[in-house]
Amino acid sequence: MAETHAHGRGPQASPTLLRNYVGGRFIDGGRPFDIVDPATGRVHAIAHEADKAIVDAAVAAARAAVEGDWGSMTLAKRRALLVAVADRIEQRFDDFLEAEIADTGKPYELAHHLDIPRGAANFRVFADAIANLPTETFEMDTPDGGKALNYALRKPLGVVGVISPWNLPLLLMTWKVAPAMACGNAVIVKPSEETPSTTTLLGEVMSEVGMPDGAFNVINGFGPNSTGEMLTSHPGVRAITFTGETRTGAAIMRSAAPTVKALSFELGGKNPAIVFADADIEAAIGGLSRAVFLNTGQVCLAPERIYVERPVFDQFVAGIKAKAEALKPGLPHEEGVNFGPLISDEHRRKVLGYYQSALDEGATVVTGGGVPKLAGEAAGGFFVEPTIWTGLPHDAKVCREEIFGPCAAIIPFDTEEEAVRMANDTEYGLASSIWTTNLSRAHRVGKVMEVGISWVNCWFLRDLRTPFGGSKMSGVGREGGEHSINFYSEPTNICIKL
Ligand code: NAD
């Protein structure tokens, strides 16, 4: 059994120690580094950067699990364990909630309704997905006039490295861990160096439900020249599944190339939304203000470019301005707070740099553009104002580069063709959100958007069985339902001469 950590929170609590979880236990070692609460700027935990010896130990433990108890387990037992993980996350809901809030500073309501429930749901969905996989069979004629029977068995890949980002830490990490484990792989997770707490808690949960040692491992640290790169270049790792920035994906591709690992990448975006004059404008204002500002804009699917048909432009801009100005920034547990900080001071500097760049390129700031004045502990947090620009050309820097902040440029258009052309004029291709009551237009525009997912009259409505991923530089491959199963397992064809 793992040693458990007390997740004592609050201003007086000393920082929580987060150790690496290898072979079913929390181990000492590794260089300590601070984990900062972005809502206050205070250090709330200390993690340990796994060195080469720890990474090697994790790979060896994972390999042993695949070759031992975990690999030989019946499907029924494996599924039962995954359901037990989901149950245990729900039983320890408040521990996960407080850990996620401390790492990200996100509002209590958001983590309560989105991050933690989805963390548990991911395990249930993939425990189900693995239950009814058909076996592919082909009977064939042989040259001697006889028959042969082919059948393909699905096998796990072996050891899978999971590298996750900080914006939805538990949700995005379990979205990869659950299907990888459902397929019988052993996983090694390298969570973001900003948000390792819920991944550490998942290690505790794995021990609590009796997961075989080594089936799930956590190694903390950074990317280049650190734990992340050691994992992505390790010869004992068969696949890397990654969510994060596009340029990080490119770096991982390079370090994984010499050992020809399977790769699944969910990368950055510069997502467009299109609002046609025939749309339900109030619904579009509600839906897209949520899309732009949810999680302080730190959602890969968030639109940062909104194209609005000219007759409804002013109405839309006024509506979204009012929504932005109604948001309440502050500490996660404060009554009525629905707008959190950015993840770090560094990220805030980056976002504020884009706020300046918009001004330099002649933007009209409809609302926001700066740092809110907050009192008390929140004064030390990494907050920015929700921000809307108009008056920018479609090729302005803030319309081309991913900002990952609570901001969007609103640009008018006159024809459907013009809107589609501007929306697709990007190297990214993750998601789009189209608002119209014209059914033919919805189908027509949905089909030509160069993205992995188009929402019509909605945004971020996710059925976990559907394909999810990015086109162009927003990703490689698709996950979700059977798409995940296809990535985390591989068929072996057996041909029997009858
Ligand atoms: P990031 O790329 O900076 O870091 C992600 C993870 O990669 C971290 O764990 C980091 O330590 C690790 N890493 C960094 N360099 C590495 C290297 N050379 N080798 C191995 N590991 C390395 O991303 P982030 O800032 O944590 O997250 C924000 C980004 O993630 C945004 O670009 C956003 O669009 C993207 N994102 C995409 C999706 C999606 O589904 N497409 C979802 C969420 C976030």
Side-chain angles (χ1 to χ4, degrees):
M1 284 291 285
E3 296 167 44
T4 54
H5 301 273
H7 275 263
R9 300 286 168 203
Q12 309 314 325
S14 57
T16 305
L17 286 185
L18 305 171
R19 291 185 294 159
N20 297 298
Y21 180 73
V22 173
R25 48 196 56 83
F26 287 96
I27 60 165
D28 290 330
R31 186 182 64 84
F33 62 97
D34 292 345
I35 309 299
V36 172
D37 174 351
T40 62
R42 288 221 179 96
V43 174
H44 80 89
I46 294 174
H48 294 84
E49 181 184 13
D51 55 17
K52 178 148 188 332
I54 294 175
V55 177
D56 284 346
V59 174
R63 184 77 247 157
V66 173
E67 287 165 2
D69 289 356
W70 180 238
S72 58
M73 186 174 280
T74 62
L75 178 61
K77 180 84 184 11
R78 199 192 316 149
R79 292 186 57 225
L81 275 173
L82 295 172
V83 172
V85 171
D87 290 345
R88 190 69 188 138
I89 292 173
E90 283 161 0
Q91 285 158 10
R92 297 192 61 185
F93 193 93
D94 288 345
D95 293 341
F96 277 92
L97 186 61
E98 293 305 327
E100 201 75 307
I101 287 172
D103 275 358
T104 61
K106 65 178 74 190
Y108 175 92
E109 282 302 320
L110 177 61
H112 192 272
H113 285 109
L114 177 66
D115 297 73
I116 313 306
R118 264 289 302 278
N122 284 334
F123 284 97
R124 289 194 203 289
V125 164
F126 289 104
D128 282 348
I130 203 75
N132 300 309
L133 278 189
T135 306
E136 217 175 279
T137 54
F138 292 98
E139 193 185 58
M140 65 181 282
D141 297 333
T142 56
D144 61 4
K147 296 274 183 202
L149 186 65
N150 293 275
Y151 62 94
L153 293 177
R154 290 221 152 255
K155 298 205 293 198
L157 302 173
V159 178
V160 174
V162 177
I163 301 199
S164 48
W166 46 257
N167 60 327
L168 301 163
L170 180 72
L171 185 160
L172 290 170
M173 180 267 297
T174 53
W175 169 244
K176 307 243 182 211
V177 166
M181 293 185 76
C183 289
N185 300 284
V187 301
I188 303 173
V189 184
K190 207 298 283 168
S192 166
E193 56 272 37
E194 321 263 14
T195 56
S197 295
T198 47
T199 309
T200 306
L201 277 179
L202 190 60
E204 293 182 16
V205 161
M206 292 289 172
S207 289
E208 288 161 1
V209 303
M211 190 64 72
D213 294 347
F216 175 85
N217 306 273
V218 182
I219 52 174
N220 287 298
F222 304 83
N225 305 311
S226 178
T227 319
E229 190 174 336
M230 286 178 212
L231 183 64
T232 58
S233 59
H234 202 291
V237 175
R238 279 311 319 139
I240 296 290
T241 179
F242 167 73
T243 306
E245 280 191 33
T246 295
R247 66 164 181 263
T248 310
I252 291 176
M253 234 176 201
R254 282 192 293 276
S255 72
T259 46
V260 197
K261 297 184 196 335
L263 299 174
S264 176
F265 283 173
E266 292 171 6
L267 307 177
K270 187 70 188 176
N271 308 300
I274 306 179
V275 180
F276 289 97
D278 62 38
D280 175 339
I281 300 300
E282 286 310 314
I285 290 166
L288 288 177
S289 58
R290 175 172 165 269
V292 173
F293 302 125
L294 187 81
N295 208 36
T296 316
Q298 302 166 117
V299 177
C300 56
L301 307 162
E304 291 184 350
R305 305 177 285 146
I306 306 180
Y307 301 99
V308 180
E309 200 166 354
R310 209 172 294 274
V312 294
F313 187 83
D314 290 345
Q315 182 190 353
F316 182 84
V317 171
I320 208 156
K321 175 181 192 300
K323 293 281 186 192
E325 290 172 359
L327 291 168
K328 184 175 175 199
L331 296 176
H333 294 91
E334 258 174 52
E335 187 69 29
V337 163
N338 53 11
F339 190 75
L342 294 171
I343 191 67
S344 64
D345 200 27
E346 186 190 344
H347 189 49
R348 178 163 69 170
R349 280 198 297 275
K350 178 181 156 189
V351 171
L352 290 174
Y354 282 108
Y355 283 16
Q356 182 59 45
S357 157
L359 288 178
D360 295 344
E361 294 198 60
T364 300
V365 180
V366 174
T367 187
V371 173
K373 292 196 182 12
L374 298 175
E377 281 195 274
F382 311 130
F383 292 87
V384 293
E385 289 175 334
T387 295
I388 294 294
W389 304 291
T390 55
L392 281 168
H394 151 74
D395 61 354
K397 188 172 167 188
V398 297
C399 301
R400 282 184 286 112
E401 298 181 11
E402 183 184 46
I403 302 171
F404 224 53
C407 52
I410 310 184
I411 296 171
F413 69 87
D414 294 302
T415 66
E416 180 181 311
E417 182 275 332
E418 182 192 10
V420 168
R421 184 171 42 74
M422 288 194 290
N424 280 338
D425 183 18
T426 168
E427 63 195 14
Y428 291 110
L430 192 52
S432 73
S433 178
I434 302 156
W435 294 77
T436 178
T437 51
N438 179 328
L439 187 58
S440 300
R441 171 177 272 156
H443 287 286
R444 195 166 59 231
V445 176
K447 187 171 171 182
V448 295
M449 295 310 298
E450 297 168 358
V451 292
I453 183 163
S454 272
W455 281 288
V456 177
N457 297 329
C458 59
W459 174 78
F460 205 174
L461 200 52
R462 292 276 295 116
D463 181 325
L464 303 184
R465 296 167 299 183
T466 58
F468 181 85
S471 301
K472 302 199 275 191
M473 284 174 72
S474 286
V476 176
R478 294 290 181 273
E479 296 200 35
E482 67 173 83
H483 304 277
S484 297
I485 305 302
N486 285 338
F487 177 72
Y488 293 107
S489 65
E490 61 190 4
T492 295
N493 190 67
I494 298 166
C495 178
I496 300 187
K497 176 98 164 62
L498 300 175

